[in-house]
Amino acid sequence: MTRTEYPWLLPSAMADPLNPDLPAERPRVRPRRTVRDWIVDTVIFFAAATVGLLAGEASSQAGNSDLVVFADQIVGAAACCALWLRRRAPVALAVVLAVVGAVAPVAGGALLLSLFSLAVHRPFKPVAIVGALAIVSCAVQAVVRPDPTISLLGAVVVGVILVLLMIGWGMLVRSRRQLVLALRERARRAETEAELRAEQAQRLAREAIAREMHDVLAHRLTLLSVHAGALEFRPDAPPAEVARAAGVIRDSAHEALQDLREIIGVLRAPGESDGPDRPQPTLTTLDALVEESRRAGMKVVLDNRIGDPDTVPAATGRTVYRIVQEALTNARKHAPGTEVTVGVRGVPGDGITVEAGNPAPAGDFEKVPGSGQGLIGLTERATLAGGRLDHGPREDGGFGVRAWLPWPS
């Protein structure tokens, strides 16, 4: 059983969501009494009435007049009824009862219980001030309305002890409630932070999948677009050239579908794999990428000065592969027919430098849609890898991409 499942067993200050212990910016609404509050208030009322009756009986036996005894009974009844206001105005109630208790012993029980409520619902400073007033009230009562069965000093000591006990008990209850509220708020905050972390992880995973989808599919789809456009605008091309273009379209479509199938599989069941994963591209597959572009009709000059690509870390090699792939894709879309130069060099400890560029295109051509989002993704990918990437127009009107990636020694 948890407390949240049975709010009627809690005090109203802890069961109601709009309670005075919540932050100040929230609207203050006086909480309604719970079932527990009604039970506690009833018990407190009868306890104060019992103490008042005993005090009234002692007053009548002390030889006081009937008028004084009657006045004590009226004051005691009013003090007990006033305890129903102990949550709404604990400070005012305790002050009034402290003043009344100085001349009316029958209000002593109500005074002690009001001090308990004051310590529960208010901080230490007002509690200390009203507690000092209650101690003075006890001393004055011992002088004004002495008890013949106990000495003056004994009456004062007993009154001080009872006041301190009730205040200490109330402060203990308040501390426990504040601890429970703090733990509840900490649990709520922990749940919120866990949800935020889960949302952030999901967002990062989606961004990674989207970036991978762009890097993979953009290369394939530009091949499809370029060769489909060539077949459309050159219907009289030689059969061998048409067959070669159709073969490139078929292979690119097959690879694009395979890549798309894998990405959709990850989206449907993240973290699971029904079969062996396709090998991720690395620096060793860079030659195959360039050769594929050459077969598609591009002019690519590759200058790879890394003698043993297998020694390059897989993550770094994959980033190099994606940078070259995006450069070839952009050249195919925005500068068809131009010669693309790709240079890769580096040694352990100094990092890897990747350069790719193409001259300005000549003449008009059918533009392939593109907004440059791939370069933004590559810049982020290079930054995450600990490197940097620059891109922009060259002096000859062409476009160039230059990146540096770390290669630990």
Side-chain angles (χ1 to χ4, degrees), residues 129-170:
I129 296 174
V130 179
L133 177 62
I135 292 176
V136 174
S137 174
C138 292
V140 172
Q141 182 191 109
V143 176
V144 176
R145 302 287 299 273
D147 189 348
T149 62
I150 189 173
S151 64
L152 177 63
L153 180 60
V156 173
V157 171
V158 170
V160 172
I161 292 176
L162 290 176
V163 169
L164 294 179
L165 283 177
M166 297 305 292
I167 291 178
W169 184 17

Side-chain angles (χ1 to χ4, degrees), residues 29-388:
V29 179
R30 185 171 62 87
R32 300 179 60 182
R33 285 187 175 92
T34 62
V35 175
R36 178 189 180 279
D37 289 341
W38 284 105
I39 296 174
V40 171
D41 291 347
T42 304
V43 171
I44 285 178
F45 173 80
F46 282 109
T50 302
V51 175
L53 290 175
L54 294 177
E57 183 67 20
S59 175
S60 63
Q61 293 178 359
N64 295 315
S65 63
D66 293 341
L67 180 61
V68 174
V69 173
F70 179 74
D72 284 345
Q73 292 175 352
I74 296 299
V75 171
C80 293
C81 293
L83 287 176
W84 291 97
L85 303 176
R86 66 189 185 90
R87 289 188 178 87
R88 181 179 300 180
V91 177
L93 176 63
V95 171
V96 172
L97 292 179
V99 174
V100 174
V103 295
V106 292
L111 172 61
L112 293 176
L113 292 172
S114 69
L115 291 175
F116 169 78
S117 298
L118 176 65
V120 170
H121 296 96
R122 292 295 181 268
F124 177 75
K125 184 176 180 179
V127 173
I129 296 174
V130 179
L133 177 62
I135 292 176
V136 174
S137 174
C138 292
V140 172
Q141 182 191 109
V143 176
V144 176
R145 302 287 299 273
D147 189 348
T149 62
I150 189 173
S151 64
L152 177 63
L153 180 60
V156 173
V157 171
V158 170
V160 172
I161 292 176
L162 290 176
V163 169
L164 294 179
L165 283 177
M166 297 305 292
I167 291 178
W169 184 17
M171 293 177 65
L172 178 63
V173 173
R174 176 179 174 81
S175 299
R176 182 179 178 276
R177 290 186 179 181
Q178 288 181 336
L179 176 62
V180 172
L181 290 174
L183 293 176
R184 182 188 298 176
E185 181 63 24
R186 184 181 301 177
R188 185 184 298 114
R189 192 171 301 171
E191 292 178 358
T192 303
E193 292 177 355
E195 292 177 358
L196 290 177
R197 286 195 298 269
E199 292 177 359
Q200 184 180 11
Q202 186 179 23
R203 179 177 58 81
L204 292 176
R206 289 179 176 178
E207 290 179 357
I209 292 174
R211 185 165 53 245
E212 193 71 15
M213 180 182 294
H214 177 276
D215 293 342
V216 173
L217 295 183
H219 176 71
R220 309 293 182 190
L221 296 180
T222 51
L223 289 177
L224 289 173
S225 178
V226 170
H227 285 81
L231 292 179
E232 179 183 3
F233 288 99
R234 294 188 60 189
D236 56 344
E241 185 175 344
V242 172
R244 183 172 61 82
V248 172
I249 293 176
R250 183 191 66 247
D251 295 339
S252 299
H254 176 76
E255 294 292 335
L257 288 175
Q258 184 67 22
D259 294 332
L260 184 61
R261 187 179 299 110
E262 291 181 359
I263 295 172
I264 293 177
V266 173
L267 291 175
R268 287 178 175 174
E272 300 179 1
S273 179
D274 297 333
D277 294 335
R278 296 179 65 188
Q280 292 293 323
T282 60
L283 193 58
T284 57
T285 58
L286 186 60
D287 293 336
L289 173 66
V290 172
E291 185 61 29
E292 180 184 15
S293 299
R294 288 170 177 168
R295 289 199 306 268
M298 290 189 67
K299 302 174 183 178
V300 184
V301 177
L302 175 62
D303 182 14
N304 188 354
R305 299 184 182 181
I306 297 180
D308 189 2
D310 292 330
T311 60
V312 178
T316 304
R318 183 161 52 252
T319 304
V320 173
Y321 182 94
R322 294 305 186 196
I323 292 173
V324 175
Q325 185 182 53
E326 180 66 21
L328 295 176
T329 300
N330 289 336
R332 191 181 303 116
K333 290 193 298 184
H334 305 295
T338 60
E339 183 180 79
V340 182
T341 58
V342 178
V344 181
R345 64 180 184 275
V347 293
D350 292 338
I352 298 178
T353 301
V354 184
E355 294 181 345
N358 58 270
D364 297 332
F365 58 91
E366 183 73 16
K367 294 185 178 180
V368 179
S371 59
Q373 295 297 322
L375 292 175
I376 298 176
L378 283 183
T379 303
E380 181 181 359
R381 184 191 289 269
T383 302
L384 292 176
R388 58 184 179 273

